[in-house]
Amino acid sequence: MKKVNLSVVAKRFFLGNIFTAALFISMHASASTYTFKDGGSDTAKANRLEVKYVGNVSNNIGFDISYYNAKGSNFSFVVKDENGDVIFEKTYSSKQFHKTVELARTEDIKGLNFSIYSDRGNLLQSKDVVINTKFVEDVLVKIN
């Protein structure tokens, strides 16, 4: 009669499950980083301007700007106020454009426009941001 050691079977079962989980996780990670044969990328991200409000930093308004320039061609990044006056303008050519913009908080600015223009001056992407500020001062809380 053959003896079966239960701890040896449990160890093999446990190690087999860990190996299977590691294999599954590595396959999932490689599937998410798929690159196309033509050198392109996901068209949903290509040429998309993203503007995220970061918050207030030392009485400044902060925005996180990102733009994926698939072709790597020259483009102009322009920030305008609600009247169309240019606050910031600069030309870039990077494929992965990322910039943090901080503007001094003033009551004059009610809105901003973040735009991407091609090197020929054509508007590629534009995002409008409306600034609505509420200021609460001298709040007193009394607990009896």
mmCIF file of all heavy atoms in Angstrom, residues 12-52:
data_model
loop_
_atom_site.group_PDB
_atom_site.id
_atom_site.type_symbol
_atom_site.label_atom_id
_atom_site.label_comp_id
_atom_site.label_asym_id
_atom_site.label_seq_id
_atom_site.Cartn_x
_atom_site.Cartn_y
_atom_site.Cartn_z
ATOM 1 N N ARG A 12 2.307 21.194 -3.683
ATOM 2 C CA ARG A 12 2.277 21.152 -5.150
ATOM 3 C C ARG A 12 1.056 21.884 -5.694
ATOM 4 O O ARG A 12 1.136 22.603 -6.687
ATOM 5 C CB ARG A 12 2.306 19.711 -5.641
ATOM 6 C CG ARG A 12 3.640 19.061 -5.475
ATOM 7 C CD ARG A 12 3.657 17.678 -6.028
ATOM 8 N NE ARG A 12 4.947 17.052 -5.774
ATOM 9 C CZ ARG A 12 5.181 15.782 -5.885
ATOM 10 N NH1 ARG A 12 4.209 14.950 -6.241
ATOM 11 N NH2 ARG A 12 6.378 15.302 -5.642
ATOM 12 N N PHE A 13 -0.095 21.684 -5.043
ATOM 13 C CA PHE A 13 -1.324 22.350 -5.470
ATOM 14 C C PHE A 13 -1.180 23.870 -5.326
ATOM 15 O O PHE A 13 -1.544 24.638 -6.218
ATOM 16 C CB PHE A 13 -2.506 21.836 -4.637
ATOM 17 C CG PHE A 13 -3.814 22.454 -5.003
ATOM 18 C CD1 PHE A 13 -4.444 22.133 -6.195
ATOM 19 C CD2 PHE A 13 -4.419 23.370 -4.161
ATOM 20 C CE1 PHE A 13 -5.647 22.698 -6.543
ATOM 21 C CE2 PHE A 13 -5.622 23.952 -4.499
ATOM 22 C CZ PHE A 13 -6.234 23.618 -5.685
ATOM 23 N N PHE A 14 -0.622 24.308 -4.193
ATOM 24 C CA PHE A 14 -0.432 25.732 -3.930
ATOM 25 C C PHE A 14 0.546 26.346 -4.936
ATOM 26 O O PHE A 14 0.278 27.409 -5.502
ATOM 27 C CB PHE A 14 0.065 25.931 -2.499
ATOM 28 C CG PHE A 14 0.298 27.365 -2.128
ATOM 29 C CD1 PHE A 14 -0.772 28.227 -1.946
ATOM 30 C CD2 PHE A 14 1.587 27.859 -1.967
ATOM 31 C CE1 PHE A 14 -0.564 29.552 -1.611
ATOM 32 C CE2 PHE A 14 1.802 29.178 -1.639
ATOM 33 C CZ PHE A 14 0.726 30.029 -1.454
ATOM 34 N N LEU A 15 1.682 25.715 -5.178
ATOM 35 C CA LEU A 15 2.661 26.219 -6.132
ATOM 36 C C LEU A 15 2.105 26.226 -7.556
ATOM 37 O O LEU A 15 2.395 27.130 -8.334
ATOM 38 C CB LEU A 15 3.945 25.405 -6.060
ATOM 39 C CG LEU A 15 4.757 25.577 -4.771
ATOM 40 C CD1 LEU A 15 5.951 24.623 -4.765
ATOM 41 C CD2 LEU A 15 5.214 27.000 -4.600
ATOM 42 N N GLY A 16 1.296 25.244 -7.886
ATOM 43 C CA GLY A 16 0.651 25.218 -9.204
ATOM 44 C C GLY A 16 -0.293 26.387 -9.395
ATOM 45 O O GLY A 16 -0.359 26.989 -10.471
ATOM 46 N N ASN A 17 -1.049 26.729 -8.364
ATOM 47 C CA ASN A 17 -1.963 27.876 -8.439
ATOM 48 C C ASN A 17 -1.205 29.195 -8.565
ATOM 49 O O ASN A 17 -1.615 30.088 -9.296
ATOM 50 C CB ASN A 17 -2.879 27.914 -7.216
ATOM 51 C CG ASN A 17 -3.975 26.887 -7.306
ATOM 52 O OD1 ASN A 17 -4.281 26.385 -8.379
ATOM 53 N ND2 ASN A 17 -4.565 26.548 -6.170
ATOM 54 N N ILE A 18 -0.085 29.343 -7.842
ATOM 55 C CA ILE A 18 0.720 30.557 -7.945
ATOM 56 C C ILE A 18 1.295 30.679 -9.349
ATOM 57 O O ILE A 18 1.281 31.757 -9.950
ATOM 58 C CB ILE A 18 1.838 30.572 -6.882
ATOM 59 C CG1 ILE A 18 1.222 30.786 -5.512
ATOM 60 C CG2 ILE A 18 2.866 31.648 -7.176
ATOM 61 C CD1 ILE A 18 2.214 30.770 -4.381
ATOM 62 N N PHE A 19 1.800 29.587 -9.904
ATOM 63 C CA PHE A 19 2.345 29.604 -11.256
ATOM 64 C C PHE A 19 1.267 29.990 -12.276
ATOM 65 O O PHE A 19 1.496 30.803 -13.166
ATOM 66 C CB PHE A 19 2.933 28.224 -11.604
ATOM 67 C CG PHE A 19 3.443 28.140 -13.006
ATOM 68 C CD1 PHE A 19 4.607 28.797 -13.370
ATOM 69 C CD2 PHE A 19 2.755 27.435 -13.978
ATOM 70 C CE1 PHE A 19 5.081 28.728 -14.670
ATOM 71 C CE2 PHE A 19 3.210 27.366 -15.273
ATOM 72 C CZ PHE A 19 4.376 28.014 -15.630
ATOM 73 N N THR A 20 0.076 29.441 -12.146
ATOM 74 C CA THR A 20 -1.027 29.754 -13.056
ATOM 75 C C THR A 20 -1.429 31.227 -12.944
ATOM 76 O O THR A 20 -1.664 31.892 -13.954
ATOM 77 C CB THR A 20 -2.236 28.850 -12.748
ATOM 78 O OG1 THR A 20 -1.811 27.497 -12.809
ATOM 79 C CG2 THR A 20 -3.356 29.076 -13.738
ATOM 80 N N ALA A 21 -1.482 31.754 -11.732
ATOM 81 C CA ALA A 21 -1.842 33.163 -11.533
ATOM 82 C C ALA A 21 -0.783 34.080 -12.145
ATOM 83 O O ALA A 21 -1.107 35.075 -12.796
ATOM 84 C CB ALA A 21 -2.019 33.461 -10.053
ATOM 85 N N ALA A 22 0.494 33.746 -11.947
ATOM 86 C CA ALA A 22 1.563 34.560 -12.520
ATOM 87 C C ALA A 22 1.525 34.536 -14.035
ATOM 88 O O ALA A 22 1.721 35.563 -14.698
ATOM 89 C CB ALA A 22 2.923 34.071 -12.017
ATOM 90 N N LEU A 23 1.244 33.384 -14.605
ATOM 91 C CA LEU A 23 1.130 33.266 -16.055
ATOM 92 C C LEU A 23 -0.039 34.093 -16.581
ATOM 93 O O LEU A 23 0.081 34.807 -17.577
ATOM 94 C CB LEU A 23 0.964 31.798 -16.445
ATOM 95 C CG LEU A 23 0.905 31.485 -17.932
ATOM 96 C CD1 LEU A 23 2.230 31.838 -18.580
ATOM 97 C CD2 LEU A 23 0.588 30.024 -18.144
ATOM 98 N N PHE A 24 -1.167 34.052 -15.899
ATOM 99 C CA PHE A 24 -2.338 34.821 -16.302
ATOM 100 C C PHE A 24 -2.069 36.325 -16.225
ATOM 101 O O PHE A 24 -2.417 37.080 -17.124
ATOM 102 C CB PHE A 24 -3.532 34.452 -15.412
ATOM 103 C CG PHE A 24 -4.772 35.241 -15.717
ATOM 104 C CD1 PHE A 24 -5.497 34.990 -16.864
ATOM 105 C CD2 PHE A 24 -5.189 36.252 -14.867
ATOM 106 C CE1 PHE A 24 -6.630 35.728 -17.152
ATOM 107 C CE2 PHE A 24 -6.310 36.984 -15.151
ATOM 108 C CZ PHE A 24 -7.032 36.719 -16.294
ATOM 109 N N ILE A 25 -1.423 36.767 -15.143
ATOM 110 C CA ILE A 25 -1.130 38.200 -14.975
ATOM 111 C C ILE A 25 -0.142 38.674 -16.032
ATOM 112 O O ILE A 25 -0.295 39.756 -16.596
ATOM 113 C CB ILE A 25 -0.609 38.477 -13.556
ATOM 114 C CG1 ILE A 25 -1.757 38.302 -12.555
ATOM 115 C CG2 ILE A 25 -0.019 39.872 -13.432
ATOM 116 C CD1 ILE A 25 -1.324 38.349 -11.113
ATOM 117 N N SER A 26 0.874 37.887 -16.338
ATOM 118 C CA SER A 26 1.846 38.308 -17.344
ATOM 119 C C SER A 26 1.216 38.361 -18.733
ATOM 120 O O SER A 26 1.556 39.223 -19.538
ATOM 121 C CB SER A 26 3.053 37.381 -17.349
ATOM 122 O OG SER A 26 2.690 36.095 -17.815
ATOM 123 N N MET A 27 0.290 37.478 -19.038
ATOM 124 C CA MET A 27 -0.388 37.528 -20.334
ATOM 125 C C MET A 27 -1.276 38.759 -20.415
ATOM 126 O O MET A 27 -1.364 39.397 -21.447
ATOM 127 C CB MET A 27 -1.209 36.257 -20.551
ATOM 128 C CG MET A 27 -0.353 35.040 -20.813
ATOM 129 S SD MET A 27 -1.313 33.540 -20.963
ATOM 130 C CE MET A 27 -2.256 33.885 -22.424
ATOM 131 N N HIS A 28 -1.927 39.102 -19.315
ATOM 132 C CA HIS A 28 -2.793 40.275 -19.294
ATOM 133 C C HIS A 28 -1.972 41.549 -19.471
ATOM 134 O O HIS A 28 -2.374 42.463 -20.178
ATOM 135 C CB HIS A 28 -3.567 40.307 -17.986
ATOM 136 C CG HIS A 28 -4.484 41.482 -17.849
ATOM 137 N ND1 HIS A 28 -5.232 41.976 -18.878
ATOM 138 C CD2 HIS A 28 -4.773 42.286 -16.812
ATOM 139 C CE1 HIS A 28 -5.930 43.007 -18.493
ATOM 140 N NE2 HIS A 28 -5.656 43.221 -17.228
ATOM 141 N N ALA A 29 -0.802 41.636 -18.841
ATOM 142 C CA ALA A 29 0.052 42.823 -18.964
ATOM 143 C C ALA A 29 0.581 42.977 -20.386
ATOM 144 O O ALA A 29 0.654 44.079 -20.915
ATOM 145 C CB ALA A 29 1.208 42.743 -17.973
ATOM 146 N N SER A 30 0.933 41.893 -21.027
ATOM 147 C CA SER A 30 1.450 42.002 -22.389
ATOM 148 C C SER A 30 0.343 42.342 -23.383
ATOM 149 O O SER A 30 0.591 42.975 -24.384
ATOM 150 C CB SER A 30 2.150 40.704 -22.800
ATOM 151 O OG SER A 30 1.217 39.645 -22.877
ATOM 152 N N ALA A 31 -0.878 41.966 -23.104
ATOM 153 C CA ALA A 31 -1.987 42.296 -23.994
ATOM 154 C C ALA A 31 -2.317 43.781 -23.934
ATOM 155 O O ALA A 31 -2.734 44.365 -24.922
ATOM 156 C CB ALA A 31 -3.222 41.475 -23.627
ATOM 157 N N SER A 32 -2.103 44.415 -22.793
ATOM 158 C CA SER A 32 -2.448 45.825 -22.671
ATOM 159 C C SER A 32 -1.401 46.733 -23.314
ATOM 160 O O SER A 32 -1.666 47.889 -23.548
ATOM 161 C CB SER A 32 -2.621 46.196 -21.203
ATOM 162 O OG SER A 32 -1.395 46.085 -20.538
ATOM 163 N N THR A 33 -0.206 46.233 -23.592
ATOM 164 C CA THR A 33 0.837 47.049 -24.200
ATOM 165 C C THR A 33 1.061 46.676 -25.659
ATOM 166 O O THR A 33 2.166 46.722 -26.153
ATOM 167 C CB THR A 33 2.153 46.898 -23.422
ATOM 168 O OG1 THR A 33 2.519 45.517 -23.410
ATOM 169 C CG2 THR A 33 2.025 47.409 -22.004
ATOM 170 N N TYR A 34 0.029 46.323 -26.352
ATOM 171 C CA TYR A 34 0.130 45.928 -27.746
ATOM 172 C C TYR A 34 0.454 47.141 -28.610
ATOM 173 O O TYR A 34 -0.142 48.198 -28.463
ATOM 174 C CB TYR A 34 -1.205 45.306 -28.203
ATOM 175 C CG TYR A 34 -1.217 44.925 -29.654
ATOM 176 C CD1 TYR A 34 -0.559 43.789 -30.084
ATOM 177 C CD2 TYR A 34 -1.860 45.721 -30.594
ATOM 178 C CE1 TYR A 34 -0.556 43.443 -31.419
ATOM 179 C CE2 TYR A 34 -1.861 45.381 -31.925
ATOM 180 C CZ TYR A 34 -1.205 44.233 -32.329
ATOM 181 O OH TYR A 34 -1.197 43.891 -33.653
ATOM 182 N N THR A 35 1.428 46.997 -29.490
ATOM 183 C CA THR A 35 1.748 48.070 -30.432
ATOM 184 C C THR A 35 1.412 47.606 -31.839
ATOM 185 O O THR A 35 1.536 46.421 -32.164
ATOM 186 C CB THR A 35 3.239 48.441 -30.372
ATOM 187 O OG1 THR A 35 4.008 47.269 -30.608
ATOM 188 C CG2 THR A 35 3.598 49.028 -29.022
ATOM 189 N N PHE A 36 1.011 48.520 -32.671
ATOM 190 C CA PHE A 36 0.609 48.199 -34.017
ATOM 191 C C PHE A 36 1.829 48.027 -34.911
ATOM 192 O O PHE A 36 2.863 48.642 -34.688
ATOM 193 C CB PHE A 36 -0.301 49.308 -34.560
ATOM 194 C CG PHE A 36 -1.592 49.416 -33.799
ATOM 195 C CD1 PHE A 36 -1.694 50.268 -32.718
ATOM 196 C CD2 PHE A 36 -2.679 48.642 -34.156
ATOM 197 C CE1 PHE A 36 -2.871 50.361 -32.016
ATOM 198 C CE2 PHE A 36 -3.863 48.735 -33.451
ATOM 199 C CZ PHE A 36 -3.960 49.592 -32.378
ATOM 200 N N LYS A 37 1.716 47.198 -35.946
ATOM 201 C CA LYS A 37 2.846 46.901 -36.832
ATOM 202 C C LYS A 37 3.286 48.111 -37.633
ATOM 203 O O LYS A 37 4.439 48.249 -37.980
ATOM 204 C CB LYS A 37 2.487 45.758 -37.783
ATOM 205 C CG LYS A 37 2.385 44.433 -37.084
ATOM 206 C CD LYS A 37 2.093 43.325 -38.054
ATOM 207 C CE LYS A 37 1.964 42.008 -37.333
ATOM 208 N NZ LYS A 37 1.661 40.914 -38.233
ATOM 209 N N ASP A 38 2.371 49.032 -37.923
ATOM 210 C CA ASP A 38 2.733 50.197 -38.727
ATOM 211 C C ASP A 38 3.367 51.308 -37.896
ATOM 212 O O ASP A 38 3.637 52.388 -38.393
ATOM 213 C CB ASP A 38 1.517 50.735 -39.484
ATOM 214 C CG ASP A 38 0.416 51.228 -38.550
ATOM 215 O OD1 ASP A 38 0.538 51.040 -37.328
ATOM 216 O OD2 ASP A 38 -0.556 51.801 -39.063
ATOM 217 N N GLY A 39 3.615 51.043 -36.613
ATOM 218 C CA GLY A 39 4.243 52.045 -35.756
ATOM 219 C C GLY A 39 3.249 53.025 -35.172
ATOM 220 O O GLY A 39 3.623 53.899 -34.417
ATOM 221 N N GLY A 40 1.980 52.878 -35.492
ATOM 222 C CA GLY A 40 0.968 53.790 -34.988
ATOM 223 C C GLY A 40 0.578 53.451 -33.574
ATOM 224 O O GLY A 40 1.183 52.624 -32.909
ATOM 225 N N SER A 41 -0.435 54.099 -33.105
ATOM 226 C CA SER A 41 -0.910 53.846 -31.757
ATOM 227 C C SER A 41 -2.425 53.831 -31.779
ATOM 228 O O SER A 41 -3.045 53.893 -32.830
ATOM 229 C CB SER A 41 -0.401 54.922 -30.814
ATOM 230 O OG SER A 41 -0.934 56.160 -31.209
ATOM 231 N N ASP A 42 -2.998 53.754 -30.633
ATOM 232 C CA ASP A 42 -4.446 53.745 -30.499
ATOM 233 C C ASP A 42 -5.004 55.063 -31.025
ATOM 234 O O ASP A 42 -4.643 56.136 -30.568
ATOM 235 C CB ASP A 42 -4.805 53.553 -29.029
ATOM 236 C CG ASP A 42 -6.282 53.362 -28.816
ATOM 237 O OD1 ASP A 42 -7.012 53.219 -29.810
ATOM 238 O OD2 ASP A 42 -6.706 53.343 -27.654
ATOM 239 N N THR A 43 -5.921 55.008 -31.986
ATOM 240 C CA THR A 43 -6.444 56.233 -32.596
ATOM 241 C C THR A 43 -7.336 57.007 -31.651
ATOM 242 O O THR A 43 -7.583 58.188 -31.869
ATOM 243 C CB THR A 43 -7.228 55.903 -33.884
ATOM 244 O OG1 THR A 43 -8.259 54.966 -33.559
ATOM 245 C CG2 THR A 43 -6.309 55.334 -34.938
ATOM 246 N N ALA A 44 -7.833 56.383 -30.589
ATOM 247 C CA ALA A 44 -8.648 57.106 -29.625
ATOM 248 C C ALA A 44 -7.809 58.116 -28.851
ATOM 249 O O ALA A 44 -8.305 59.148 -28.426
ATOM 250 C CB ALA A 44 -9.321 56.136 -28.664
ATOM 251 N N LYS A 45 -6.511 57.846 -28.662
ATOM 252 C CA LYS A 45 -5.634 58.771 -27.938
ATOM 253 C C LYS A 45 -4.929 59.742 -28.866
ATOM 254 O O LYS A 45 -4.433 60.767 -28.427
ATOM 255 C CB LYS A 45 -4.576 57.980 -27.165
ATOM 256 C CG LYS A 45 -5.088 57.281 -25.946
ATOM 257 C CD LYS A 45 -3.976 56.587 -25.231
ATOM 258 C CE LYS A 45 -3.223 57.561 -24.374
ATOM 259 N NZ LYS A 45 -2.195 56.933 -23.542
ATOM 260 N N ALA A 46 -4.849 59.415 -30.137
ATOM 261 C CA ALA A 46 -4.078 60.237 -31.076
ATOM 262 C C ALA A 46 -4.728 61.602 -31.240
ATOM 263 O O ALA A 46 -5.934 61.719 -31.408
ATOM 264 C CB ALA A 46 -3.974 59.540 -32.424
ATOM 265 N N ASN A 47 -3.892 62.631 -31.186
ATOM 266 C CA ASN A 47 -4.319 64.014 -31.405
ATOM 267 C C ASN A 47 -5.480 64.431 -30.508
ATOM 268 O O ASN A 47 -6.409 65.088 -30.954
ATOM 269 C CB ASN A 47 -4.679 64.239 -32.873
ATOM 270 C CG ASN A 47 -3.491 64.027 -33.770
ATOM 271 O OD1 ASN A 47 -2.361 64.271 -33.386
ATOM 272 N ND2 ASN A 47 -3.740 63.537 -34.958
ATOM 273 N N ARG A 48 -5.422 64.058 -29.244
ATOM 274 C CA ARG A 48 -6.462 64.448 -28.300
ATOM 275 C C ARG A 48 -5.870 65.369 -27.237
ATOM 276 O O ARG A 48 -4.866 65.054 -26.634
ATOM 277 C CB ARG A 48 -7.066 63.230 -27.626
ATOM 278 C CG ARG A 48 -8.080 63.626 -26.550
ATOM 279 C CD ARG A 48 -8.623 62.462 -25.825
ATOM 280 N NE ARG A 48 -9.719 61.929 -26.599
ATOM 281 C CZ ARG A 48 -10.298 60.791 -26.340
ATOM 282 N NH1 ARG A 48 -9.863 60.039 -25.375
ATOM 283 N NH2 ARG A 48 -11.295 60.369 -27.069
ATOM 284 N N LEU A 49 -6.514 66.504 -27.057
ATOM 285 C CA LEU A 49 -6.118 67.469 -26.042
ATOM 286 C C LEU A 49 -6.905 67.180 -24.772
ATOM 287 O O LEU A 49 -8.123 67.095 -24.809
ATOM 288 C CB LEU A 49 -6.395 68.897 -26.532
ATOM 289 C CG LEU A 49 -6.162 70.023 -25.542
ATOM 290 C CD1 LEU A 49 -4.691 70.134 -25.191
ATOM 291 C CD2 LEU A 49 -6.673 71.335 -26.121
ATOM 292 N N GLU A 50 -6.193 67.006 -23.665
ATOM 293 C CA GLU A 50 -6.850 66.761 -22.387
ATOM 294 C C GLU A 50 -6.463 67.863 -21.410
ATOM 295 O O GLU A 50 -5.283 68.171 -21.250
ATOM 296 C CB GLU A 50 -6.451 65.401 -21.820
ATOM 297 C CG GLU A 50 -6.982 64.247 -22.650
ATOM 298 C CD GLU A 50 -6.647 62.904 -22.039
ATOM 299 O OE1 GLU A 50 -6.158 62.868 -20.887
ATOM 300 O OE2 GLU A 50 -6.861 61.898 -22.715
ATOM 301 N N VAL A 51 -7.472 68.456 -20.776
ATOM 302 C CA VAL A 51 -7.267 69.518 -19.800
ATOM 303 C C VAL A 51 -7.899 69.069 -18.493
ATOM 304 O O VAL A 51 -9.080 68.742 -18.454
ATOM 305 C CB VAL A 51 -7.918 70.844 -20.273
ATOM 306 C CG1 VAL A 51 -7.745 71.923 -19.224
ATOM 307 C CG2 VAL A 51 -7.349 71.280 -21.605
ATOM 308 N N LYS A 52 -7.084 69.039 -17.433
ATOM 309 C CA LYS A 52 -7.588 68.632 -16.119
ATOM 310 C C LYS A 52 -7.299 69.743 -15.118
ATOM 311 O O LYS A 52 -6.197 70.295 -15.084
ATOM 312 C CB LYS A 52 -6.910 67.352 -15.647
ATOM 313 C CG LYS A 52 -7.256 66.159 -16.486
ATOM 314 C CD LYS A 52 -6.553 64.929 -15.990
ATOM 315 C CE LYS A 52 -6.828 63.769 -16.931
ATOM 316 N NZ LYS A 52 -6.046 62.585 -16.562
#
